[in-house]
Structures are given as structure tokens and as C-alpha cells.
Amino acid sequence: MNKTAEKIGFTKIATAHNSSDNVETVLLNFIKGAGIKGLSGIPIRRNNIIRPILCLTVEEIRKYLKTNKIPFRVDESNLDSDYERNFLRNEIIPKLKQRLNPRLEEKIRNTSKIISEINSFVEKQIDRINSEAVKYDGKELRVNLKVISELDKSLLSIFLKSAVENNFDIELSSENIYALIDLVSSQTGRVVHLKENIIVSRERNELVVGRIVSAKTQKAVHKIKAGQKLRIDGKAISIINVNRKMFKFTRNKSVEFISGDELRNVFEIRKWKEGDKFQPIGMKGTKKISDFLSDEKISPIRKKEHLVLTNSGKIVWVIGLRIDERFKVTPVSKKILKLIITEK
């Protein structure tokens, strides 16, 4: 509908949702355990969607049509109670009106309106908290714990649900939300697995949310030769032959120099795997990549995706962090290679 409206130059799309539809929606959401947003019902306006007859019941609409002799059509599928909404409309609501309250729809509409006003207030608070606490780079969501740690539990649960669902396009269960609330006050390093490969880790001052890469992606190996540039996961990695005059130590972890004297011309880039070890420059012994990344305060999400540069099976560079002591440039190095990583 949006494409059609744009094509013919219209700015609004009007739907025929009515008050009875709204009552059904609120009841269905209530039965399924929705929060205040779900119990607010169908909004009269959302972006370019408007619902001009949302204030009228089905009975009022039919009465108007009959009085004015306007023909209308009844969708026969609405009579099939195998569908949950039809079951509610055809069998449950009539009995509730008959046995409990003839003005059921009116009462639910009024309650829904009150809840909608409360939800509007809450959403403004959530927007404020988002602006102060949330940073999202398209891959990893970071939530400042100092901002949210003093929030009321009910507001905290709504905020966490909104932050994760809006950025990762998933629907959290109540169990997921309770786990996130517990994580806020738990110890550093704890990890919670949600759904669809989404994990959340408790860092020192942040909650970090991200998606774990698939096993297939995890095993990918890319070959690169000296003099080439390779683009992987939004990064560009280059290996350049340089002469000694161009060699200069730098604190920039995106640029490293290594001795190529004992290395083959073909390198491999892959994600690290369990059991990988290397000898960080400046150290005498080896260290597991897993422990090294933890010491570098790399979040569990980023940690899973971290790349290493290898040669003949040996790790030469934990990319963007540290080279191996065995391949550092020395006064007798004849072949010097410059390693560079940049964001695309």
C-alpha cells in the first residue's frame, strides 16, 4: 500500500478498522499476555496510516449503511470460527456481553484509552532513556548501566524489551526480559542467551547485545598475499612490502610491521577458534587467544568474530590488537611487511 500511495502521490492510507476490531485486538493481546503497548489497542494514527472510523462499532456502521441504503458486502471468512479472532468475535464476546456486561465494548474501549495515555507517557520516558543510555553501531548494542541501574523495575523491563526488540527485530518472551533484568545487577562477565542467536553480556559499565555468527561463517578462511587488500566483514585488510626506511613503530593498533623472512607469501585470515595460541609481542610464553581477547576487554559478541592472520598454521597477528613475538621486526630483518586494517 505504501508503494501504491507513493506512486500516485498520496500521503495518507486510510484503513477500515473499527471500534469492534479494537476491542478484539485488546482482548487477544490480553489473553496472550501483552504489556501496556498491546493493551493500548489499535492507534488511530501511525505514521501515514489513519483509521477514520475507529470510533464506530460494527453495529453503528451497519445501521448507517442500512439507513442510507448503501450496499455492503460481508466477508464470509469472518463467519469461520476456526480463526482465533473470529472465535473471539462470534462466540466469546457475545457471551461476555450477555452474561457479564452488555456494555463490554464500551468499557474495554475506555480502559484501552486510559492505558494508551499511560503508554504514551511511558514511551516518552523510554525515548529519553534511549538517548542517554543506548549506543548502536548496526551490529552491537551497548547500554550504559549507570543510566538504567536506578530505574524502577517496571520501567526497566519496558526499556530493555524496547531496546532489544527495536534493534534486532525479534520478540522477547517474559523469561527473556526477567533474565535481562537479573543481568543488570549481576557480576561482570555473565552472559544471557536470548533467541535467534542473540546474546547479552554484562560488562563493567555496560550491557552488550549482539548476534552470534553462524558456524558456517565462523569457519570461513580467506587467502591473501603480500601486496593485496582483502575486504571482510566491513573491514579492509592489507599486507604491503616496505623497505626499512618506511618502518616505524607506532601505537596505532590498526597498523603493524612484521618480519617476513620466515614466512610464506600466502597468508590466511580467519576467525579464531578454540585452542588457538600465540606469543604476544613482549611476552616469553604463549597465550590462548580466548584469554588474550578477554584480557583486552573484548565483549563476548565481538570476541566470537575476531579475526587472526596466520601463515603456515601459525598466528602472526591478532588483527587490530597484537602481533606475535616470533615475527617482530629485528635489526637483521631483511623482508618487512606492513599490516593495515581499516573500516570500509
Side-chain angles (χ1 to χ4, degrees):
M1 287 194 295
N2 280 316
K3 289 182 179 179
T4 302
E6 185 177 350
K7 184 177 180 180
I8 60 180
F10 287 1
T11 59
K12 296 288 186 292
I13 297 171
T15 70
H17 290 102
N18 56 62
S19 179
S20 301
D21 293 324
N22 194 30
V23 168
E24 293 161 10
T25 297
V26 172
L27 281 176
L28 278 174
N29 288 343
F30 175 76
I31 292 168
K32 293 179 178 181
I36 60 172
K37 186 173 183 178
L39 298 180
S40 298
I42 303 172
I44 195 167
R45 178 194 299 270
R46 177 176 287 153
N47 299 324
N48 65 327
I49 305 293
I50 58 173
R51 301 176 176 91
I53 59 172
L54 193 63
C55 58
L56 302 175
T57 66
V58 168
E59 289 79 8
E60 289 171 330
I61 294 170
R62 285 180 175 170
K63 182 179 179 181
Y64 175 84
L65 294 173
K66 290 177 180 178
T67 300
N68 291 276
K69 298 180 180 180
I70 300 173
F72 62 92
R73 178 183 297 175
V74 176
D75 185 348
E76 290 185 359
S77 67
N78 288 337
L79 305 177
D80 185 355
S81 292
D82 285 342
Y83 298 102
E84 58 182 24
R85 181 178 286 271
N86 292 350
F87 173 70
L88 192 66
R89 177 191 301 134
N90 300 331
E91 301 188 33
I92 302 301
I93 291 178
K95 289 181 180 179
L96 290 174
K97 292 168 74 173
Q98 181 182 0
R99 294 285 299 272
L100 298 178
N101 191 341
R103 299 169 63 192
L104 177 73
E105 292 192 20
E106 176 190 344
K107 297 301 181 183
I108 291 178
R109 282 198 305 272
N110 292 341
T111 301
S112 176
K113 184 178 179 181
I114 294 170
I115 295 174
S116 178
E117 291 169 353
I118 295 171
N119 183 59
S120 178
F121 171 78
V122 170
E123 286 187 340
K124 289 178 182 177
Q125 302 306 307
I126 297 301
D127 288 343
R128 177 185 60 79
I129 298 166
N130 262 311
S131 66
E132 297 175 1
V134 174
K135 292 181 180 178
Y136 183 58
D137 61 6
K139 181 178 289 186
E140 196 173 75
L141 179 75
R142 291 182 172 270
V143 180
N144 188 317
L145 288 172
K146 290 182 179 179
V147 175
I148 69 170
S149 59
E150 300 300 321
L151 292 179
D152 176 83
K153 190 174 181 179
S154 58
L155 187 59
L156 177 62
S157 67
I158 296 171
F159 162 72
L160 291 172
K161 177 179 171 67
S162 170
V164 175
E165 289 186 346
N166 290 343
N167 288 293
F168 291 93
D169 194 26
I170 61 171
E171 186 173 342
L172 298 182
S173 66
S174 55
E175 289 79 9
N176 292 150
I177 296 168
Y178 293 144
L180 288 175
I181 292 172
D182 289 341
L183 196 61
V184 170
S185 56
S186 67
Q187 62 185 14
T188 299
R190 188 181 164 203
V191 174
V192 167
H193 291 258
L194 299 178
K195 55 178 67 173
E196 298 182 22
N197 295 327
I198 303 296
I199 67 169
V200 188
S201 66
R202 172 48 155 96
E203 304 299 315
R204 185 174 299 175
N205 298 311
E206 295 177 314
L207 288 185
V208 183
V209 189
R211 195 182 301 274
I212 302 174
V213 295
S214 67
K216 183 177 180 180
T217 305
Q218 192 75 19
K219 294 178 181 178
V221 176
H222 308 271
K223 295 186 182 297
I224 181 173
K225 295 180 180 180
Q228 292 183 334
K229 177 187 285 189
L230 194 62
R231 299 184 184 277
I232 306 172
D233 297 340
K235 300 176 178 64
I237 300 166
S238 306
I239 302 177
I240 305 171
N241 285 294
V242 297
N243 58 45
R244 185 166 285 277
K245 291 181 180 180
M246 297 175 65
F247 167 61
K248 184 179 180 181
F249 284 112
T250 173
R251 292 183 179 275
N252 182 358
K253 292 184 178 181
S254 297
V255 179
E256 295 282 4
F257 293 89
I258 60 171
S259 171
D261 292 347
E262 304 297 325
L263 298 174
R264 295 173 56 195
N265 193 46
V266 179
F267 293 78
E268 291 184 341
I269 297 173
R270 60 171 173 82
K271 291 182 172 66
W272 72 278
K273 58 181 184 289
E274 289 297 331
D276 276 347
K277 294 180 180 180
F278 84 128
Q279 185 179 350
I281 188 168
M283 288 184 61
K284 292 183 178 180
T286 60
K287 192 165 192 172
K288 288 184 177 180
I289 298 294
S290 177
D291 294 338
F292 173 75
L293 293 174
S294 295
D295 291 345
E296 291 291 312
K297 310 300 182 189
I298 306 299
S299 73
I301 297 102
R302 297 278 187 188
K303 184 176 177 179
K304 288 277 186 183
E305 297 189 1
H306 208 92
L307 298 170
V308 293
L309 178 73
T310 70
N311 191 286
S312 300
K314 297 177 181 177
I315 293 176
V316 176
W317 185 27
V318 179
I319 295 178
L321 292 175
R322 198 82 56 87
I323 63 169
D324 189 290
E325 170 74 18
R326 295 167 293 180
F327 306 108
K328 69 181 181 181
V329 176
T330 68
V332 297
S333 296
K334 296 179 181 178
K335 182 179 180 181
I336 299 176
L337 299 174
K338 184 178 183 180
L339 312 176
I340 306 171
I341 179 171
T342 57
E343 298 291 333
K344 279 187 181 180

